[in-house]
Amino acid sequence: MKIALGSDHGGFQLKEYIKEHLEKRDIEYIDYGTDSTESVDYPEFGQKVAEAVKNGECDRGIVCCGTGIGISISANKVPGIRCALVSDCYSAKMSREHNNANVLALGARVIGKDLALEIVDVWIDTEFQGGRHERRVNKISDIENKYVI
């Protein structure tokens, strides 16, 4: 598995912790930035990660900003992306099992480092259940396709 990582300045430090954690787990990643705590605009990094997942360069993505809200909205603008903003392990599990989320968003100013790493582990280790959930995910894609120009 290869993970695309991205953050703005508010999520930079959490992204760095996640990188260290992925290295300990021998999980490959590509860091799409940012590379410091200097102020930047989150949409750029949400888009880069989402496009890497959409194009198959990476299997899944993880994005971080201060709240996780802005960067998740940005990632979700890329067709085919199902970015889930998660702040607990149960939601991380359900986002994978039921929604086949392919990008995880975390709020660095909302959750602590240890909880964030637990969420990352649950999210990475959980597979999509398919079945009735696949029908529902397909309906989400149908809505998206209706509005894609």
Side-chain angles (χ1 to χ4, degrees), residues 37-110:
T37 57
E38 184 176 329
S39 183
V40 294
D41 297 327
Y42 58 79
E44 176 183 344
F45 303 98
Q47 180 181 2
K48 285 180 181 182
V49 168
E51 287 177 345
V53 173
K54 166 104 175 130
N55 297 334
E57 186 173 340
C58 293
D59 302 299
R60 295 189 205 163
I62 301 173
V63 293
C64 307
C65 70
T67 63
I69 297 168
I71 204 161
S72 67
I73 292 170
S74 301
N76 275 319
K77 296 299 179 182
V78 175
I81 296 304
R82 291 172 305 282
C83 180
L85 173 56
V86 173
S87 58
D88 63 90
C89 292
Y90 179 75
S91 295
K93 182 177 179 178
M94 292 299 103
S95 77
R96 289 288 308 132
E97 283 186 355
H98 291 192
N99 309 118
N100 201 16
N102 51 13
V103 177
L104 171 67
L106 300 168
R109 297 177 183 150
V110 177

Side-chain angles (χ1 to χ4, degrees), residues 20-21 30 39-40 49 51 70 75 82 107 117 119 127 141:
E20 291 173 14
H21 187 68
I30 299 175
S39 183
V40 294
V49 168
E51 287 177 345
R82 291 172 305 282
L117 298 181
I119 289 168
E127 293 300 322
S141 296

Side-chain angles (χ1 to χ4, degrees), residues 132-147:
R132 70 182 190 276
H133 305 295
E134 187 163 0
R135 181 179 74 244
R136 294 167 184 159
V137 170
N138 288 340
K139 286 185 177 193
I140 293 170
S141 296
D142 291 344
I143 294 168
E144 178 179 72
N145 291 334
K146 180 178 178 181
Y147 294 97

Side-chain angles (χ1 to χ4, degrees), residues 110-131:
V110 177
I111 59 174
K113 170 188 142 186
D114 292 337
L115 176 57
L117 298 181
E118 286 181 44
I119 289 168
V120 166
D121 282 343
V122 168
W123 189 78
I124 287 173
D125 295 338
T126 302
E127 293 300 322
F128 180 49
Q129 286 184 343

